[in-house]
Amino acid sequence: GAGEREPAAVPRREHPVAGAPGRAGRTGHRDRRADSTAATEQPARRRVLAREIATGREAAYDYDRLLLATGYRPMRLEVPGSNLRNIFTLAHLTDAEAIHQALRSHSRRALLVGGGLVNVEMAESLARRGIELTLVEKGSHILAGLDPEIAELAERELTRHGVRIIKERSVRTFF
């Protein structure tokens, strides 16, 4: 409908990040280094010394602004049944591919545990694909880092798209 945004095109698997390393954007030069680990910061010189993961080679990178993305680790629930087939976490491209494969060959229903940003984005994506969804959040609202009033807007939008949200409940077992 009016005001809805179209889902972003998914880049090819070989280039999963829009804006490849070294690409200049409207806001200036951006350089993404997913193949390196920061070894030493030199804030006074606005420089980072990094080590390439594959080769161990060191390189220096100058910057005007620096964002160090430390990564994301999903929380795996340690409850009975958590090791069953078709229970997934989502942190890497291979995780997304496994979820995609499961959705192609199994039920058209999904349960998302946790109301953080990754699961809210996943709920939006799956709802657009016609998957029947339930999202369980142990807190009083999804997107815990936001003000409750803003989170409520997101909850209403998800509900409008058919996502069932259950709050203040925890998963005790999978079966």
Side-chain angles (χ1 to χ4, degrees):
E4 290 185 19
R5 65 184 169 102
E6 288 297 313
V10 177
R12 292 193 335 256
R13 185 186 195 294
E14 299 83 34
H15 304 287
V17 177
R23 178 180 169 196
R26 284 189 322 203
T27 59
H29 181 76
R30 293 182 183 149
D31 202 357
R32 295 170 183 91
R33 297 286 171 182
D35 59 348
S36 301
T37 181
T40 306
E41 272 185 84
Q42 298 175 338
R45 295 179 70 192
R46 291 184 170 211
R47 175 177 283 188
V48 171
L49 301 178
R51 183 172 295 110
E52 289 182 3
I53 295 169
T55 66
R57 185 178 71 88
E58 290 190 358
Y61 300 99
D62 296 321
Y63 63 87
D64 292 320
R65 292 185 186 104
L66 175 66
L67 168 66
L68 294 176
T70 59
Y72 163 77
R73 289 199 178 120
M75 182 183 356
R76 182 117 183 135
L77 294 178
E78 298 299 328
V79 298
S82 63
N83 60 345
L84 292 172
R85 199 175 72 128
N86 291 326
I87 295 180
F88 303 94
T89 58
L90 178 59
H92 304 286
L93 183 58
T94 54
D95 301 333
E97 290 170 339
I99 293 167
H100 179 73
Q101 185 62 34
L103 289 171
R104 290 172 68 204
S105 59
H106 297 319
S107 174
R108 303 298 296 171
R109 296 181 299 158
L111 171 71
L112 298 172
V113 179
L117 183 59
V118 171
N119 270 4
V120 168
E121 289 287 334
M122 177 65 86
E124 179 185 28
S125 175
L126 294 177
R128 287 182 185 271
R129 294 181 60 187
I131 306 295
E132 182 184 328
L133 289 170
T134 301
L135 187 148
V136 176
E137 166 56 43
K138 68 181 176 181
S140 61
H141 63 275
I142 66 171
L143 301 170
L146 298 179
D147 289 332
E149 296 82 20
I150 301 297
E152 186 178 323
L153 293 172
E155 289 174 13
R156 275 190 272 175
E157 186 65 13
L158 288 174
T159 300
R160 188 173 77 81
H161 289 286
V163 178
R164 179 177 173 220
I165 300 173
I166 301 172
K167 298 180 280 188
E168 298 181 343
R169 297 286 187 265
S170 296
V171 172
R172 293 184 298 192
T173 188
F174 293 104
F175 54 92

